[in-house]
């Protein structure tokens, strides 16, 4: 599926490039053709003017007709010193109000070679006729740029749509895998529960059955978490301080005795709408991530405090930190710096917080060799998760 996505994207870019290149070449061809036709029209207009000047007694009907029919191409007439004498097809009102209007136009028109009508050789007297582009020619010249922008926007929108579909397919795949995992765990879990009950009835060592029962409960919790991926979880008001403390106690029992765990809260109890099972998963992922960043010794501190209509949770460790090149990737599915694991913990945690709890999860601060702080922001109101 991934190769197909990238093939489509490549072919789409190639087609768009061909369209743009073809349009640019054809537009340049049209622009040159129109420019030649316009120059011929100006030359004819100048010839008609020359005929009137050279033969004032001849019938002027045809020359005047030629001159009067030229209503599109802007022309500025100057003397031999480029002083403006007359103009046509330009804004007369603006020329009167703005003294710099005609000089600016003249400067722009000098990109085209002028037509020179010599009136006298000795002394040298001449009229020069500078001309600019018609509106049609300008539109044809700018058309490739406009089309390039339009094609670029359409290409961007198409790629965004394909990328969204690709991500949606990936999300469906991960959700399907999670639900299938939960389903597959169901059968052996039921069997294990039955065996634990049988061990209890046969009087087997209570400490053994108790530990087995805890492991079974843990597997049930894992199965429950996976079953909730891809579906809308139920949220209800819960004490977030107690939830975090419970997960800290759980992780602490499995950590090195040289790791110091500290929970700071400005309130003894803070009620927040939560999906308890999924929120526990997030805290467990962050705490385990903090443990992994430390080599058996250090400090993990969790600060909980209300900020306006939200609750802010900072999980800080004194581990090896995250390099600046990796900070933007830590929440990407599959990204991991560990030798083991799929790199899904932080990605799933971000999805749980942002999609199911309408909160935020991000790296607040990290410094290589000194540690990292992850921040969770959760709304305290009774908002339904979507």
């Amino acid at each position: 599926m991934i190769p197909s996505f990238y093939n489509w994207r490549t072919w789409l870019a190639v087609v768009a490039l061909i369209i743009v290149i073809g349009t640019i070449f054809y537009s340049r061809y049209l622009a040159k053709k129109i420019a030649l036709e316009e120059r011929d029209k100006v030359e004819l207009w100048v010839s008609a003017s020359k005929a009137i000047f050279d033969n004032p007694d001849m019938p002027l009907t045809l020359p005047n007709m030629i001159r009067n029919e030229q209503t599109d191409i802007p022309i500025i007439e100057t003397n031999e010193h480029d002083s403006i004498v007359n103009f046509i097809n330009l804004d007369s009102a603006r020329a009167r109000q703005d003294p710099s209007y005609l000089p600016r136009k003249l400067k722009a028109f000098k990109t085209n070679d002028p037509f020179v009508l010599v009136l006298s050789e000795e002394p040298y007297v001449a009229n020069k006729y500078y001309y600019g582009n018609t509106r049609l020619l300008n539109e044809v010249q700018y058309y490739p740029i406009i089309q390039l922008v339009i094609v670029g926007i359409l290409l961007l929108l198409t790629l965004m749509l394909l990328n969204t579909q690709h991500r949606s397919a990936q999300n469906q795949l991960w959700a399907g895998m999670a639900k299938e995992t939960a389903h597959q765990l169901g059968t052996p879990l039921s069997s294990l529960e039955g065996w634990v009950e049988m061990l209890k009835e046969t009087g087997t060592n209570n400490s053994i059955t108790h530990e087995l029962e805890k492991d079974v409960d843990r597997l049930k919790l894992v199965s429950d978490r996976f079953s909730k991926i891809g579906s809308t979880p139920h949220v209800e008001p819960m004490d977030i301080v107690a939830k975090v403390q419970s997960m800290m106690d759980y992780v602490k029992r499995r950590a090195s005795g040289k790791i110091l765990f500290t929970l700071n809260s400005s309130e003894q109890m803070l009620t927040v709408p939560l999906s308890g099972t999924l929120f526990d998963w997030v805290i467990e992922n962050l705490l385990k991530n903090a443990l992994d960043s430390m080599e058996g010794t250090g400090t993990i501190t969790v600060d909980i405090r209300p900020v306006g209509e939200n609750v802010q949770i900072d999980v800080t460790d004194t581990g090896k930190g995250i390099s600046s090149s990796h900070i933007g990737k830590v929440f990407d599915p599959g990204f991991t710096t560990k030798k083991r694991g799929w790199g899904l913990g932080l990605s799933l945690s971000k999805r749980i917080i942002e999609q199911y709890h309408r909160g935020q999860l991000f790296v607040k601060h990290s410094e290589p060799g000194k540690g990292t702080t992850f921040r969770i922001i959760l709304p305290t109101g009774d908002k339904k998760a979507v």
Side-chain angles (χ1 to χ4, degrees), residues 21-203:
I21 292 174
T23 301
I24 290 174
F25 276 101
Y26 186 66
S27 298
R28 289 183 63 185
Y29 163 75
L30 286 180
K32 287 181 179 180
K33 185 176 181 180
I34 294 173
L36 289 174
E37 290 178 356
E38 290 185 359
R39 185 169 179 84
D40 290 342
K41 289 181 179 179
V42 174
E43 185 176 13
L44 183 62
W45 185 88
V46 172
S47 298
S49 300
K50 186 176 186 301
I52 294 174
F53 178 80
D54 290 342
N55 304 287
D57 297 330
M58 68 174 286
L60 302 178
T61 304
L62 181 59
N64 282 331
M65 183 183 298
I66 293 173
R67 286 170 57 88
N68 293 336
E69 285 182 352
Q70 210 295 91
T71 58
D72 296 326
I73 305 171
I75 300 174
I76 294 179
E77 179 184 349
T78 71
N79 61 19
E80 65 273 10
H81 302 297
D82 281 349
S83 296
I84 298 174
V85 176
N86 196 10
F87 64 90
I88 62 170
N89 301 329
L90 289 171
D91 192 337
S92 301
R94 187 172 177 183
R96 289 193 298 270
Q97 295 172 0
D98 183 2
S100 65
Y101 173 69
L102 289 177
R104 289 201 309 272
K105 287 293 184 181
L106 178 61
K107 184 178 180 180
F109 291 176
K110 285 185 177 181
T111 56
N112 295 321
D113 294 332
F115 290 95
V116 181
L117 177 57
V118 179
L119 305 178
S120 171
E121 294 290 351
E122 288 292 341
Y124 181 75
V125 179
N127 287 343
K128 296 181 181 179
Y129 299 92
Y130 293 92
Y131 68 97
N133 298 335
T134 62
R135 183 177 179 181
L136 174 62
L137 181 55
N138 286 329
E139 288 177 352
V140 171
Q141 288 177 335
Y142 288 119
Y143 176 71
I145 299 175
I146 297 172
Q147 189 175 46
L148 180 62
V149 172
I150 294 173
V151 170
I153 292 173
L154 290 176
L155 181 62
L156 181 62
L157 291 174
T158 304
L159 290 177
M160 289 174 62
L161 177 61
L162 289 174
N163 193 41
T164 300
Q165 292 176 341
H166 177 62
R167 289 187 177 182
S168 176
Q170 280 189 325
N171 288 337
Q172 291 176 1
L173 176 62
W174 290 119
M177 289 176 62
K179 290 182 178 295
E180 180 63 19
T181 301
H183 177 71
Q184 294 294 336
L185 284 173
T187 301
L189 271 175
S190 299
S191 178
L192 283 172
E193 285 184 290
W195 284 110
V196 170
E197 290 301 320
M198 288 182 62
L199 289 173
K200 287 181 179 179
E201 292 174 1
T202 57

Side-chain angles (χ1 to χ4, degrees), residues 320-347:
K320 57 187 177 183
I322 305 171
S323 66
S324 57
S325 61
H326 287 164
I327 285 182
K329 303 176 184 177
V330 294
F331 295 108
D332 292 346
F335 177 80
T336 180
T337 58
K338 305 172 189 176
K339 293 181 179 179
R340 296 184 303 166
W342 288 1
L344 294 177
L346 289 177
S347 177

